[in-house]
Amino acid sequence: MNDFNDDDIALAIALSLKDAGPPKAPRKPVAAEVIEIESDSDDGEPNHKKVHLSEDAQFEVQMRHAMQLSKMDSGPSSATSSRPTSTPPAQPSQTQPMSMILSDRKKLEAERLARLKRLRPDIAQAQESRGGASDEDDEDVDERAGDRTAKRQRLLSALPSSHRTNAASSSTRVNANPTASGSKTGQDGFFWEGELRQTANRHVDRDKDTRPVFRLSEIIGPKEDISFAILSAYVVEQAWIYEFFKIRTPLILVAHDVQGNATMKEILPETGRLRVMVSTANLIRYDWSDIENTVWVQDFPLRPSPIPHDSKADDFPTTFSRILRSVNVVPALLQMGRNGHDDLPLKRVEDLRCKWDFSKAKVYLIPSIAGRHEGWPKVIQTGHTSLMKALRDMGACTGQSRDLTLECQGSSIGTYSTQWMNEFYCSARGDSAESWLDQPKTRRSKLPYPPIKILFPSTKTVRESVLGEQGGGTMFCRRAQWQAAKFPRDLFHDSNSKRGGVLMHSKMVVGIFKGGAFASSSGLAGKRSSRTDSFDSGDDEDIVEVSPQVQEDLYGWVYVGSHNFTPSAWGNLSGSAFNPVMNVTNFELGIAFPLRSEEELEEVACWKRPARKYVIGKDEPWMQSESAHFIE
């Protein structure tokens, strides 16, 4: 069984981001407190043990060498701090393998400038003459204000004030969905209705890049507006990300050990409002300038006065609070208070729902929390069963009168089986997991693959992209996976951006309702009991059989977030209908919302549709381990 390890990802980052010039000698491994990175591809095992490749020892040696080069090129990334008011790491529990850290940004900035002097003396001199670094110093992302002239704006200080305050003109759409990338926000530059956009990218075809995009500087906004932030990502380029904040702005950075993974979560109260962002991008410059990602942002106003805490609530802020607890934000907040930050706008995670108004939240948060989760109350709060619950809550169940086709776009391929694919498909239909677990295991293992399109770039697509093979460093599929006897090669479709020859790091799952006979033939559209609907008490005696409401006028639904289409990200379901167990390897976060028309789907989907199906025997998925660019 195959899996990607931390060396795989390090190789990708090192070779995708490496500067021109001769390679340098490897340095000694960094200390344990450095933020490590590891793959989100799955091994399919519930015990979470990482299974490394053994068929090619030479490949392993090359990977480890690349790891050294990556650590050397990226510079120090220590998670310690020398500031007396900084927050030390919160110690992770055994079931929550993460820590909270604050870094010495002055030291990191000095180290960044030193590297910049060595690699780009022209930029370093310009920054020193200004007395500091820019917020987007050499992204070279075109600003498209006004007449669409391709002006290169290297420094945030050169941007118009409207861009620095997240401004986007015109009105919002009136429906139950977040504003899609083709629509715009109000004149105040805030995102009160929610906004979904692609990230700005310097490699896109300008004639095809006609919709508003997000830049990290626009999302975070002016430094002076930010009183507090919580940040998390799979990979963090600390020296770069700290350029977006004032030195004394209190930050919590959620770091990961080698078993964890998460998307970005930010809390940015600016003049009282709360900004929440969920992104497919990492906190590294490359993800925000050279590869395509998707971002959702929404602002929530401060309530006129706090409301009482409701322990039985089941809504957006309740889920958000649970996610923050799972990644140990609570002890970090307490430590910040002890270190003198007693004026934080968020002192307890319970304050989220009590102090801010989430009534306009139209999306559902979909988390995956690493670990073993047993029993219905816990199982439906994580992994693909959390998606199932969200679909039931929004009325997006497939129902008996229609069928469902899935399109799954991502940057990493998992180890698939018919059992897991049908397990995921059951949740994607909004069917209770009981209808799956009630079936005999032998029958589950022999079902055909469900109607799922797996979107992943072919070798041809990567080679013909703007960056060529060098740009494929964050796309993962192995020869052993592709050639496995029962691997679903017939489900693969090419992944091509609507914006030209740029590769996509966006993760999306689109569910489209259609007529057909699959539902009746699969046997997965059967009973829907309500253990997943009545779970607050966790007491089986309180369960009442209730079928979810189905909105027949929906066209489908969409998920956007950090989940790749892998068992590691979405989890493996086991146990019985009476006592289910969900095993999840990764930390992930995304959003889901309904679609009401094909036009809405076309606004949201970042790939060319219909996706081109692989020609078996001619097309193969991109495998960076076989590229000459990634082999020393």
Side-chain angles (χ1 to χ4, degrees):
M1 191 165 295
N2 299 307
D3 196 10
F4 300 120
N5 54 34
D6 54 355
D7 297 343
D8 298 352
I9 305 293
L11 174 65
I13 299 298
L15 296 180
S16 293
L17 308 180
K18 69 179 181 180
D19 296 282
K24 310 169 189 67
R27 294 179 181 174
K28 294 181 180 180
V30 292
E33 68 269 14
V34 171
I35 298 176
E36 299 286 353
I37 57 179
E38 59 96 16
S39 166
D40 63 352
S41 183
D42 78 294
D43 57 17
E45 296 294 335
N47 60 10
H48 305 160
K49 292 182 179 179
K50 306 303 288 183
V51 182
H52 299 284
L53 289 177
S54 59
E55 70 268 17
D56 194 342
Q58 182 179 1
F59 178 79
E60 292 288 344
V61 173
Q62 292 166 346
M63 285 293 186
R64 298 188 187 284
H65 179 59
M67 184 69 170
Q68 298 297 330
L69 291 177
S70 173
K71 293 174 181 176
M72 183 249 344
D73 285 341
S74 61
S77 58
S78 173
T80 59
S81 174
S82 60
R83 287 195 291 160
T85 59
S86 298
T87 304
Q91 296 299 318
S93 65
Q94 291 181 351
T95 59
Q96 298 167 344
M98 311 183 76
S99 62
M100 303 300 161
I101 57 177
L102 287 177
S103 294
D104 188 340
R105 286 178 281 157
K106 289 184 178 179
K107 179 180 177 182
L108 289 170
E109 175 63 11
E111 292 166 346
R112 189 193 68 82
L113 284 174
R115 291 194 301 277
L116 199 59
K117 285 182 180 179
R118 172 172 56 84
L119 300 172
R120 295 294 299 274
D122 55 335
I123 297 176
Q125 184 177 2
Q127 288 188 15
E128 286 189 324
S129 67
R130 282 201 321 275
S134 69
D135 284 349
E136 292 178 340
D137 65 273
D138 66 343
E139 277 192 45
D140 280 339
V141 178
D142 289 345
E143 297 298 330
R144 287 178 288 284
D147 61 1
R148 300 275 304 155
T149 301
K151 295 181 179 179
R152 294 287 184 180
Q153 301 282 6
R154 302 181 71 87
L155 306 176
L156 181 62
S157 58
L159 294 180
S161 60
S162 62
H163 285 271
R164 300 182 64 191
T165 55
N166 310 325
S169 61
S170 194
S171 61
T172 59
R173 289 195 299 165
V174 182
N175 59 24
N177 298 347
T179 305
S181 59
S183 55
K184 301 177 182 179
T185 57
Q187 295 288 347
D188 57 4
F190 302 151
F191 307 101
W192 302 115
E193 301 295 329
E195 185 90 358
L196 186 72
R197 297 181 183 179
Q198 296 302 102
T199 53
N201 189 286
R202 58 182 176 177
H203 304 296
V204 297
D205 185 333
R206 302 304 172 193
D207 293 332
K208 298 177 180 178
D209 192 26
T210 58
R211 294 181 177 180
V213 294
F214 272 134
R215 293 171 179 79
L216 190 56
S217 61
E218 295 173 336
I219 296 170
I220 293 178
K223 297 178 182 180
E224 59 271 16
D225 286 354
I226 304 169
S227 57
F228 174 48
I230 300 177
L231 308 171
S232 175
Y234 185 45
V235 186
V236 179
E237 187 179 340
Q238 295 182 51
W240 175 70
I241 196 62
Y242 284 141
E243 295 172 14
F244 294 88
F245 301 92
K246 286 187 173 181
I247 294 297
R248 297 192 179 277
T249 300
L251 305 178
I252 292 178
L253 176 61
V254 180
H256 308 262
D257 72 359
V258 295
Q259 296 297 323
N261 181 28
T263 190
M264 177 191 289
K265 298 173 287 295
E266 293 190 356
I267 303 174
L268 304 176
E270 301 165 9
T271 61
R273 66 189 166 95
L274 176 79
R275 173 161 292 179
V276 180
M277 166 183 146
V278 175
S279 171
T280 68
N282 291 297
L283 285 174
I284 59 176
R285 190 189 309 271
Y286 176 80
D287 273 29
W288 292 87
S289 61
D290 293 280
I291 199 166
E292 187 170 355
N293 279 282
T294 308
V295 182
W296 169 82
V297 176
Q298 186 163 356
D299 292 304
F300 299 99
L302 196 67
R303 294 182 184 275
S305 60
I307 63 173
H309 174 64
D310 183 358
S311 61
K312 293 185 177 297
D314 178 26
D315 51 14
F316 184 100
T318 302
T319 304
F320 195 7
S321 299
R322 185 171 64 247
I323 293 167
L324 294 182
R325 290 191 193 94
S326 72
V327 294
N328 286 339
V329 165
V330 171
L333 290 173
L334 294 174
Q335 187 63 47
M336 275 192 156
R338 289 192 288 267
N339 284 347
H341 294 291
D342 53 1
D343 58 344
L344 291 178
L346 181 71
K347 295 183 174 63
R348 308 179 309 153
V349 295
E350 292 83 2
D351 290 343
L352 281 172
R353 190 173 185 278
C354 298
K355 295 177 66 174
W356 282 276
D357 182 1
F358 289 89
S359 60
K360 288 191 174 182
K362 301 299 192 300
V363 303
Y364 294 78
L365 290 174
I366 312 296
S368 279
I369 307 299
R372 184 178 187 271
H373 310 270
E374 184 173 359
W376 286 116
K378 295 181 179 179
V379 163
I380 61 174
Q381 294 179 356
T382 186
H384 63 74
T385 42
S386 69
L387 174 65
M388 175 270 295
K389 183 180 185 300
L391 296 176
R392 294 166 75 88
D393 289 345
M394 72 176 75
C397 295
T398 303
Q400 300 289 343
S401 61
R402 57 191 179 189
D403 288 332
L404 177 74
T405 298
L406 299 181
E407 297 181 15
C408 304
Q409 153 71 30
S411 61
S412 188
I413 297 303
T415 301
Y416 302 127
S417 65
T418 59
Q419 179 163 329
W420 184 80
M421 294 273 271
N422 279 284
E423 174 186 317
F424 181 89
Y425 186 78
C426 179
S427 287
R429 288 181 51 84
D431 288 338
S432 169
E434 285 183 293
S435 65
W436 172 256
L437 293 174
D438 274 342
Q439 299 182 64
K441 292 182 179 179
T442 53
R443 180 168 185 252
R444 284 186 257 161
S445 64
K446 295 178 181 179
L447 288 172
Y449 279 110
I452 295 177
K453 296 180 180 179
I454 302 173
L455 277 65
F456 189 79
S458 66
T459 299
K460 182 175 183 291
T461 290
V462 173
R463 287 175 177 170
E464 293 180 354
S465 66
V466 175
L467 295 178
E469 293 191 9
Q470 180 180 353
T474 55
M475 310 290 172
F476 297 93
C477 180
R478 288 197 183 282
R479 174 68 56 185
Q481 291 173 309
W482 178 250
Q483 292 184 338
K486 296 183 179 181
F487 193 75
R489 290 178 286 273
D490 191 54
L491 303 183
F492 272 66
H493 293 68
D494 210 352
S495 175
N496 299 104
S497 172
K498 291 179 178 178
R499 301 162 74 194
V502 61
L503 297 177
M504 293 182 291
H505 190 256
S506 298
K507 290 94 173 172
M508 291 188 184
V509 178
V510 171
I512 305 170
F513 299 138
K514 293 184 180 297
F518 184 85
S520 59
S521 64
S522 69
L524 297 184
K527 66 176 183 179
R528 294 185 183 88
S529 60
S530 63
R531 278 190 171 89
T532 54
D533 295 321
S534 303
F535 68 92
D536 289 339
S537 68
D539 187 350
D540 284 340
E541 293 181 358
D542 293 338
I543 293 175
V544 179
E545 296 292 326
V546 177
S547 296
Q549 296 295 318
V550 177
Q551 295 190 40
E552 298 291 347
D553 61 337
L554 292 183
Y555 182 80
W557 53 267
V558 64
Y559 161 87
V560 181
S562 71
H563 292 74
N564 274 303
F565 186 56
T566 68
S568 283
W570 287 105
N572 286 278
L573 189 63
S574 60
S576 65
F578 181 77
N579 188 41
V581 176
M582 174 64 79
N583 285 285
V584 182
T585 302
N586 299 346
F587 285 89
E588 311 280 5
L589 181 62
I591 61 166
F593 55 90
L595 295 171
R596 301 191 179 279
S597 67
E598 185 174 2
E599 290 73 23
E600 285 190 0
L601 169 58
E602 289 301 327
E603 286 190 7
V604 170
C606 54
W607 60 90
K608 293 180 181 178
R609 300 186 66 254
R612 184 187 68 85
K613 188 173 182 178
Y614 278 25
V615 178
I616 302 301
K618 179 181 179 182
D619 291 315
E620 286 191 339
W622 162 251
M623 303 177 196
Q624 62 155 285
S625 59
E626 299 182 5
S627 167
H629 181 82
F630 292 92
I631 299 177
E632 291 273 276

